[in-house]
Amino acid sequence: MIRSLLLSLTLLCAAPLASAQNAPAVALPKVKLFTTGGTIQSKGAHRQKLMEYSDGKVGPAELIADLPELKDIADVSYTEISNVGSPSVNTEIQLRLAKEINAWLALPDSAGAVVTHGTATLEETAFFLNLVVKSDKPVVVVGAMRPFTAVSRDGPFNLYNAVRTAASPTSRGMGVLIVLNDEINAARDTTKSNTYRMETFVARDLGPLGYTDSDQIVYYRKPTYRHTTRSEFDVSTLTTLPRVDVTYDYQEQDGTAIDAFVAAGAKGLVLTGSNADAVKRAQAKGVLIVNSDRKGAGRVVESAKGASQNRISADNLPPQKARILLRLALTRTQDPKEIQRMFNEY
Amino acid sequence: MTSVAYHRCIAAACWLLLAPVAHAQEIPTYAPPPPIPADTQALPTIVLMSMGGTIASRGTPRLNITNYGGKGVPRVDPQDWVHDLPELAGIANVIIEDQRAPQDRTSSETHEDFARVAKRLNQLAADPRIAGIVVTHGTNTMAETAYYMNLTVNTDKPIVFVGSQRPWTGLSGDGPRNLYDAVRVAASPEARGKGVLHAMNQFINTARDVDKTSAYRVNTFKGVDVGAIGFADPDRVRFYREPVRRHTTQSEFAGKDYSSLPPVEVAYAYRDAPGYLIDAMVAHGAKGIVVEGTGAGSATSSQTEAIKRAQASGVVVVMTARTDGGRVQDTPRRREALIVPGDNLKPEKARILLQLALTQSSDLANVTRIFNEY
């Protein structure tokens, strides 16, 4: 029984080799593309232009029309959320995106969702969705390192593989996924590690969950931290999220930034180091403190000392992701112990 | 006299007494041991099984981290580990068991040893009093042994392979910390159901995917491409992933006693690699051949001719890739050539899986299914 199920899943995943000529006998899986913009939707003035390519934008219809091979693997529709670079993606866009995706996946005949996004903050939106999407159906975030107009652009194959991944039943229950460069990565653990290379998205130490190879969508790993259907966070009625800021640590960091963020109304701060006096001043005003790290790998361990100072350990989340989780945590509680539990579970 | 200085004095006196037998030097003797709970019965019972290895080796002087061991050199017995690591008593009831091969050398281990240990692991895991098992092993082939156990031991309980890159007595030896962490992982309820694990250098890896990547560095074991699944950090053992390929309780090979396995050999591909080595493997009775191909999994034309001859006499051929990363894919051309894609397995692991597959049949569809599922 299990064996035949696995076999049939394998056959389903092997679709691309069969492709094109044979018209599909059964209805194709319905995948909706939610576009937010980014390099994958940007045009440069000439095809060697790999930077400062702000010479035009590509909308979802053009993106889909550019990739007729999608017709063989999925019934693709789209919703345009925004068309901005990832530095401009804000809370309003993220909340709208999450609500639209939840509405789509709640439909009984939807198979999955694909989100286009600029790569600079892609991992933040992906992790946010990982915590607030209320479905087991695949949600795949995709981008490109080279613009729509470039020679050897990576966008089309990334998008094709993202749709394949979203259409694959084996992707269910894996949490929100990031697909670029033939790799399937977990939203929680993946970070952009290089400014221009195409192998930029990596889950340091932990590696990808699988691959979008030509013969099949293949998985080796399943994430164990809580996500999507096992998440306690709900943004369905929210229109904004608490302000949380990040400070970077370096020699002689004197706490000026911490004081300034508190003055600006931050409800929580994610630190990569500590300035004890400024932290105490912030905590006196009710600001929650999370300790992350600037190294990019490894955990901030929990210690009795940290707990006694009401400092929350970010586990192995980088500051920008600890910020996302702290914002959502603050929609539920102000209790540092309870928030530490959330950082241990998500 | 401060308490630290006092403990240092005691430690120095201990060293004088123990001088003839070199125990691990790098455990800070001035640190208080972790508290041992009043009710030690409440601690999980962990079997510490020795299959030997560098972690069970002594070298003198302590800077000797390359030329240790050898005939006539005293080994580290399992009870020495427990003696050197009193901290173990704070985390588990440790039961020791010696399963070293007669020469205590990984390279001298044979299938007989694996079959014996697999049988024993199945027995131990079935004992309700036992929470987990740690197995020490030489690092050169421990990934293969761990993978064999991953496929043949029928249990949800953690089985954790551990070794060291430096001998137990080496300066800055990694063995003591690795062993302590392996026991912590084996005692962790979260480690259950994740297949046979590997724990060294504070990383937790899966038996299927872990590989030795450096001859001497202590950061040698990696899940190439797919990464570690967790960490044994100072505060706690943490898991981030579970493997999705079939193993242990979901393995169709688990709990069976394989006293012998069909012979399977490995042929390496390189420019001008001849076919006669493959012919010789067949002539010597190989029932399967794993070809470690170039690039995405290619053999030379002479090897390809020899592969056809081998297949004509009923030998099953699996293709892996020497790229140390990435998969050998299922392509129409490969299907036509009746070559089974080895997925992303290293050839030495593909060999073990093919040996087990061939105990069922030489049916290519079945062997292909097995390589897709395990």
Side-chain angles (χ1 to χ4, degrees), chain A residues 110-124:
Chain A
S110 64
V114 171
V115 179
T116 63
H117 203 289
T119 55
T121 69
L122 184 152
E123 66 199 65
E124 290 166 62

Side-chain angles (χ1 to χ4, degrees), chain B residues 18 41 66 68 73 123 175 177 179 189 212 223 250 253 267 283 293 302 311 317 319 321:
Chain B
L18 292 172
Q41 293 303 310
T66 55
Y68 48 86
V73 178
Q123 281 171 357
R177 184 74 216 185
L179 192 61
K212 187 176 182 181
Q250 310 147 41
F253 310 107
S302 348
Q311 288 170 328
V317 177
M319 184 66 74

